[in-house]
Amino acid sequence: MGEFTTTIEHRLDQAYRNLQEARSTGDDYLADTFTAEIEDLRRLASDNGVPIQR
């Protein structure tokens, strides 16, 4: 499951960066989109026993 874990972590890192950028530019729709992506990735990680640091 190493590759799966790495992929989830990478996608979460990218989504958090994108969320920060969307918030800093005032793009509420994009911020909501990235928030939903983060929630989905965190759920996917949890369902598969992948520990998340954030």
Side-chain angles (χ1 to χ4, degrees):
M1 193 182 294
E3 187 174 340
F4 179 75
T5 300
T6 300
T7 300
I8 292 292
E9 290 173 347
H10 175 73
R11 289 186 58 195
L12 272 169
D13 287 343
Q14 187 64 48
Y16 277 111
R17 283 193 296 273
N18 290 339
L19 175 59
Q20 184 177 9
E21 178 68 23
R23 285 179 175 165
S24 72
T25 61
D27 191 333
D28 293 334
Y29 175 76
L30 198 54
D32 288 344
T33 301
F34 288 121
T35 298
E37 180 180 1
I38 289 166
E39 290 170 356
D40 288 344
L41 289 166
R42 292 180 66 81
R43 180 189 47 76
L44 183 63
S46 177
D47 289 350
N48 288 280
V50 176
I52 300 300
Q53 301 301 327
R54 289 185 183 201

